[in-house]
Every structure is written in structure tokens, then in C-alpha cells.
Amino acid sequence: HVQLVESGGDSVQTGGSLRLSCAASGYAFSSYCMGWFRHPLGNEREREGVATIDSDGSTSYADSVKGRFTISKDNAEKMLYLQMNGPKPEDTAMYVCAADIGGSCSFWDYWGLGTQVTVS
């Protein structure tokens, strides 16, 4: 079983910066594909992918955040990060981290509860 706990969400002004963190349990963290997703507060049905990072460190981003957000991870600390530079009001959402223990970045097995980001 993998537990994921997000932190770092806050209110931030347009053009500022924010770093989200996700602390993970699980002995094989380095082999997981990890991802950040987001959805409007109270509406998980509108969840969208933000960024993923696989076991080799390869990353992918939604077009809406390319060039502004950076996903990274620290395998030794079992931490996942999302650096948000130049956030926009449309980035306001609940940000959730997820783990694909199979490493394919396709089937998300575990989810955190999320951390709220508000951009004004």
C-alpha cells in the first residue's frame, strides 16, 4: 500500500511562484511513475493531468503548463515536487499527486487527498 500526502498549496498572485510537495510511502518509490493532477475544488470529474515523471526521470506536461511548471522527484526522500512559476488564475485548482506502481504512467493506483492552489 502506498500513501501520498500533498502539501504546499496556498493563495498566490498571478506571476508569482509556488512549490507543491508530495510525500510518498512505499519501498519501490524509484520505480513508480508519479504524476500531478488537478481539478476544480469539489469537482473531481473535471480532473486533468498536469505532469508526470517516470522511473527514468522522463517528464511530460499538459500543454497548458509547459514552460511554466516543472515536475521533479527525490527518490532518496520519496518526495515528488511541482514547481509552479508564473501561475495564472486558470491554474486555480485542487492539486493531487498519484502513483502508478507499474511504472507505465497509464494506470494510477494510488492518490493523495490534494492541496488547494488559488491564483488571483
Side-chain angles (χ1 to χ4, degrees), residues 5-91:
V5 180
E6 302 92 337
S7 61
D10 204 347
S11 296
V12 62
Q13 291 189 339
T14 300
S17 64
L18 197 65
R19 189 176 83 158
L20 306 183
S21 301
C22 174
S25 66
Y27 66 91
F29 177 81
S30 62
S31 69
Y32 304 161
C33 179
M34 299 296 297
W36 284 101
F37 295 79
R38 66 186 182 186
H39 60 82
L41 184 63
N43 192 353
E44 291 186 19
R45 293 184 179 182
E46 294 188 15
R47 184 173 63 203
E48 63 173 345
V50 175
T52 64
I53 183 167
D54 68 14
S55 59
D56 293 330
S58 296
T59 58
S60 67
Y61 296 91
D63 288 343
S64 58
V65 307
K66 279 181 182 177
R68 301 188 297 120
F69 292 5
T70 302
I71 188 171
S72 63
K73 63 176 181 170
D74 183 331
N75 288 330
E77 297 295 326
K78 298 182 181 179
M79 293 293 295
L80 177 73
Y81 302 103
L82 184 70
Q83 179 67 41
M84 305 172 63
N85 294 331
K88 304 175 183 179
E90 51 263 44
D91 295 319

Side-chain angles (χ1 to χ4, degrees), residues 108-119:
W108 301 97
D109 304 287
Y110 297 98
W111 298 83
L113 295 179
T115 187
Q116 176 69 29
V117 173
T118 302
V119 185

